[in-house]
Amino acid sequence: MAPSSTRICGVTYDAARRLYSGDVIYAGPEGLLQLRVSAPGVPGWSYERTLHALSEAGARRRAEVVR
């Protein structure tokens, strides 16, 4: 991955909880940081919307972890 890049992989959907989950991986000068995050959603969402929701959840979680 390029410096300061983000990757989302392993996305799953839990229909009972209406929740998307995935791994958000950040690469930067300090190395890789992998976070498992979840975001509410519906199966009719486009992949862009799903990835945006997981990216936002990852950003919030990253801010908590990096503190």
Side-chain angles (χ1 to χ4, degrees):
M1 285 191 272
S4 301
S5 67
T6 303
R7 177 184 218 181
I8 298 176
C9 59
V11 177
T12 59
Y13 182 69
D14 182 344
R17 295 172 49 203
R18 299 181 72 115
L19 200 64
Y20 283 99
S21 297
D23 294 318
V24 180
I25 304 168
Y26 296 98
E30 68 281 351
L32 294 177
L33 174 62
Q34 181 172 347
L35 303 169
R36 184 75 178 168
V37 298
S38 300
V42 295
W45 278 6
S46 66
Y47 72 90
E48 292 98 349
R49 188 168 179 187
T50 303
L51 294 181
H52 179 74
L54 290 173
S55 178
E56 290 291 318
R60 286 190 301 272
R61 179 84 185 278
R62 184 180 185 192
E64 293 172 3
V65 171
V66 174
R67 286 183 194 180

